[in-house]
Structures are given as C-alpha cells and as structure tokens.
Amino acid sequence: MNIIWHEKTKQFHLYNDEISYIMYVQPNGEMGQLYFGSRIHDRDDFSYLTYRRMKPMVAVEAPEEDFSMELNRQEYPGFGGTDFGMNAYEAVYEDGSTVSNFKYASHRIFAGKDKLEGLPATYGSDEEAMSLVIILEDTRSKLQLELSYTIFQNYPVITRNVKFINQGDDEVILNKALSACLDLPDQEYEWMQFSGAWARERIPVVRKIVPGTLSIESKRGGSSANQNPFIIVKRSNTDEFAGEAIGMSFVYSGNFLAAADADTYGRLRLLMGIHPDTFRWPLQKGASFTTPEVVIAYTDKGLNGLSQSYHALYNNHLVRGKWKNRPRPILLNNWEATFMDFTQESIIKIAAKAKEAGAELFVLDDGWFGARNDDYAGLGDWVENTDKLPNGMKGLAEKINEMGLEFGFWIEPEMVNPDSDLYRAHPDWAFAVKGKTPALGRHQYVLDFSKDEVVDYIYDMLYQVIDGANIAYIKWDMNRALTDVFSNGTPAELQGCVYHKYVLGVYRLYEKLIAAFPDILFESCSSGGSRFDAGMLYYAPQAWCSDNTDGVDRVLIQYGSSYGYPISSIGAHVSAVPNQQTGRTVPIAFRGNVACFGTFGYELDLNHISEEEFCEVQEQIKFMKENRQLLQYGKFYRLVSPFETDQNAWMVVSEDQTKALVGVYTMRSNVNELDGRIRLAGLDRNKLYNINSCAYYGDELMCAGLVLNAENTRNYTMEQDYSSCIIRLSAE
Ligand code: GLA
C-alpha cells in the first residue's frame, strides 16, 4: 500500500496489491480522475489518459485553449464551469452566484485514517491504512474544500469523504454536498440496486445504463427499505464468480442520493451522498461541514468477490467493540409470540423453554413500558410498566439471568405517541409545522432529534432503565418515515439542516449509550430492515433484516442483503407457521437452515410447537453453536440464485479452507428431474473433502460439482417444496 505524489506532473497514485486509484491537478487547478481499477504500474506521467484537444462547440477553461472539464473525468465537480454533468456539490456565495473554482492548494499524506467527528466511518491503524487529504480553495470566496481518501493494505477499497471550510468573511450556503464522485472512462456497465419495501427488502434490480441519469434515493429520513444506500456497476458479462464490478456503499443512515450520469462523450459518472433535496447548510465564517463516508470497492473476481471485500472490511474496520468478530448469541425474541400482551409469568415461561432448547439470550420486545398495551400509546415513556414487570427491568433481568440466560430488551427512542406523558409534557419536541396536522405513522410522531436537549432527555430515561439491570443486548427500532420535518424554535435559515442533524442526533445517542454500556450488543431495526446500512453497523453490529420471517421470502431477502453486508450483520430468526406475513407453512428445518446464515434466533413461543419440532430446534441450536463462527465470519459465496431459479444455494468457507458449509434450498419443486449438481467455490483444489461417508477433491467439487444425491445430502430433494439441507465439508 502506498500513496505517491508525482510533483512534476501533479499526479497522485494510491495503490495496494489489488487496486490503483490515480488522479491529478488539472490545468484549471481542479482535481481530475485518471484511473480506478486493477493495480497498474506506477509512472511519472499518466497524462495520456486525459483529453487535450479542441472540439467544436465545447467550452474550454480559459486561458487554456484545449482543456475542457467536460471532456475529462472529474474528482468532485461543481456546476457553472465547463463540466455539464451532474454536479457533486452546490455552494451559493454572498453575491448569489453558484460558480466555484476549487484550485489545488496543498495536500497531506499520512499513515492511518482520521476519525469523522460525530459520524460513523471505517477505521484503520497506521499499518493497515494510508490517507490523503487534498486541500483546494475557491479563488473568489476562500471557501476551502478537503477531499479525503483512504486506501487499506488488504482491501480493494478506497474510502472518500469531503469537508468544506469557510475561510472567507462571507456566509456560504451549501445546497448540495455529496460524498463522492467517480468518473469512469466508458459506459459498458449495468447498474445494480437493492430495492423493496417493508417486508421485502433489498431485492437486487439490474438496470441498463443509457445516456442520461438514473438514480435511487431516500427522502424518508432513514436509509429506507425502498432503496438501499449501496449500488454496484458491473460489466454485462460479470457474474458471481468472474468479471469486473465497482461498488459504492454509503456509511450513513439518512436521506441519500446515488446516481449514475452517462454523458454523450462516453463518460460514466457515479455519485453518492446526502440527498440535496432535503439539505441546506449555511456556513458562517470559520465554520465547516463534513460529509459522511462512501466506500468504493473494485473487483475483477465477480460479485462474490465484491461482496467478500465489503464483508471483510465491515467486519474488521467498521464494527467496533466487544462484538467485533465475535459469534453472536442465539436469542429468543418474544415479539411474534406475544406481541404486547404478556405478563412477567408468561415471559418467564417462554424464556424457560428457550433455555431448555439451548438459547443464550432472551429479548423482551415492545410493550414493557408506559401505557404500552397496543401501538396507540406509550412511546416516549421509557419507564417500566409495573403491571407487566412488577420488579422492573432489573427484576426481570435477574429472573432471566437465574435461568442461565442473558437478557436484553427493545426500545424505539426516536418516537413518541401523541398518547404519552412525554408528548403531553413536550408537544414541541415532535416534528410538526404550525397550522398543519402532522402525518402519523403507526400512530406515532417523530421526536426532533436535531435538538440536543431531546436526545439528552431520552438518554437519561434509558440510562435509568439500563443502569443497575444486567442488560446484554438492546434492539433499537425506528418504525416510521419522517414527515413534517420542522424543528420548533430553530431559526428559519437552519431548517435545511434538520434532516441531517436528526441523523447526527441518532448517532450521538448511540455513542452515548455505547460509552456508558460498552458491552451491550445493539441490534438496529426499522420496521424490520428499513435502516439496514453501513452507518448503522458502526454502532449496532447486527440489524433485524426484515419483519418478514417466512422461510422462503427470507432466502430472497438474505440473499439480496448479502451483496453489501456481512452475514454477521444479518438478523435472522425462525418464527411460527403459518407465517404471519405470508400465511405460508414452511418446515422448521427449512426455516432453521435459512436463519443460520445470519445471526440466528427464534421469534416464537417454543411451548407451542410439537415435541418433534422442539427436538429439531435443540438440534439446530447445537449445530449453530458448533458452526456459528464459520457461518457468520467464513467467506460467503452465493452459488445459485433464488431470483433466477426455483432453488437457492450459498456456502461459507473457513479461512484455512478446511471447512465449509453449503446451504441448499428448494423453493418450488421441479418434478421428474435428475439429481441437481452445484459447482462449489472457494475450496482448496487439492484438498480431499469429506461429505458424509463420501470424499471429493476440491477441484472435483468446484469443477465437476457436488451432486445432490442421497449420499451427499441425506434427505434433500428438488422434487419437494421447501426441502433443504446444510452439507458439511471437512478436509481434516
Ligand atoms: C417493528 C419491528 C418488530 C417489532 C415491532 C415492535 O415492527 O420490526 O420486530 O420489534 O416493531 O413494535
């Protein structure tokens, strides 16, 4: 890993063993992009990659007569000069103009990586990462722009973010400040996004790139179930195992925009950042604004290669604290078992059965506080409901701990029901504009987390509940989109900051709780998977993936989630049948075989299943305990897509390639077919792998394939709906 500055040609080359990222100071002083992709040799001068010729009717950067930004690739383009593509930022100056010219002033290269104050970000030690900050200055206004880059030693990844600093005397207003722009020299790519809605999150969608712009966004306040802040561009012949692809992942949990702009000269511009429609940030003299981070990854090893880079980077350089790289506790959550209708006794019965099954953690979901007996009341009143918990959280935690289980509970700190003591005392703490009835979502309003006093108040209430009780886990939910976003008492000119400040408030509350209770495992949740993003993983290393716990639908949701997020982050539980959301009855074996490629747990009352099923649950938990390190942290491969076939197959391989687990699932049977055959991946070609009583070399399994016959799979068949199995490979 290195960052080279070629002083004479004013070119930077960031590289490690896998990738090169090259850029330069253009003739007008702005930064231009030269190359991003597979590692190439360094040279003093890459200017052959620029375009320096006159073209009819093209505007040039005077006094140059042959240089136009439009015909060259940019690092962080504005609008108003000679680049007519989609701009990465917009600064409005005192005189009303929006024309900038950010000229290179200086740069810093250093070992390691700076923190982003108040924001989630990847991190790396001096040995693991190297950073570059390029400082540019707008010639007229003295507005400074810092473009930051980090390259990691062992990952084909560049992280980027920017900072604006007002060094001039006059106020500047930022109307747009995206985090990264990546200009590519051709448009022979397909765009992949992960779209959905509540209960059908992160479904991969491929779109053709044609001249013009295409984009995805969230303006819901959170990153959303509808579009995920992660995109891929891939060559049309790239598949899971081979070919080029570039990913952009936003380490942020609020409104976002991700766009591709294909211009008429063959340039493809990728952009990602905070959504400009809900952003207006005034910068007084001396003030600065730092954007969140974007993680850009490159692969020539197919989509599995790209995903594996994100998985490893996020496990090793984003997740922090006690739970980093730790196998996750097997939990039982009472939500689908009881909803809010429970007593301490009924909870203890459920927990006792969970313990008997082998679970390690009991999670008390919604309904334990205030007047919370349905979703019309109580949110905001973070005080135990003593009808349900006579001895408070502490008392219940003690009882659960006595059984030999850890204990955790659910919160939704950003919200308030109109019917709550908190709202009655502080109606001005909820978002609303005067003269309009604010929209409701699940009968609740959104608290104004852009205000420190609101965040601090909620923190104090939660602190009271957690402190003294033995709490191992917290599920942090967020169950509605933001509407009517107006911060009471905040000056008019700062209302455009509120969406972003809200997210900063969420991060601040997380940070305060983590500082006070560093061992608690946080699981983020937002009506299931509506805020499943890299920003959240910095605070909560796992996320409830979806409220849809149907085994078959979960295959699709977890498969889609795996493109951008590690298996260790995917909250996955076995729930009761017929499934709440789909009405489908899928065998418990199938449900378990899907959930074990995730954090694993149960979301039902085990007292209500048959004796036979209970034995199966005990077996599942035993299996999970033996294999969770491999399942959650092994190298994950998608093998057969449930979006293209009636089957699904995926696998994990241990780092030393001696162990692997393959999950195979039939979603819809195909009658009268021969035994299926799956080509495995990631094995050592020369190792002999035992599968049940058979043994095969790695090259056989990867090239000829694993035959899904009775000897290899025990009882899997493609001829029966919801048949599934986990095949264990061992080369010891
Ligand atoms: C959301 C979550 C569920 C559950 C309920 C509680 O819908 O996604 O898992 O916690 O809230 O109200």
Side-chain angles (χ1 to χ4, degrees), residues 534-593:
M536 274 295 140
L537 294 185
Y538 186 67
Y539 306 96
Q542 58 191 57
W544 183 226
C545 185
S546 179
D547 277 347
N548 184 345
T549 47
D550 172 81
V552 171
D553 283 2
R554 266 306 183 113
V555 166
L556 305 180
I557 296 168
Q558 292 177 213
Y559 194 95
S561 304
S562 77
Y563 280 92
Y565 305 100
I567 303 308
S568 62
S569 72
I570 297 178
H573 301 167
V574 174
S575 66
V577 287
N579 181 267
Q580 297 242 349
Q581 316 300 353
T582 64
R584 202 177 280 138
T585 297
V586 172
I588 198 149
F590 190 104
R591 283 172 274 151
N593 287 342

Side-chain angles (χ1 to χ4, degrees), residues 20-23 33-40 49 73:
S20 284
Y21 190 101
I22 305 168
M23 59 191 148
Q33 155 70 213
L34 291 170
Y35 174 80
F36 175 55
S38 187
R39 161 81 185 271
I40 56 176
L49 294 171
R73 286 172 293 122

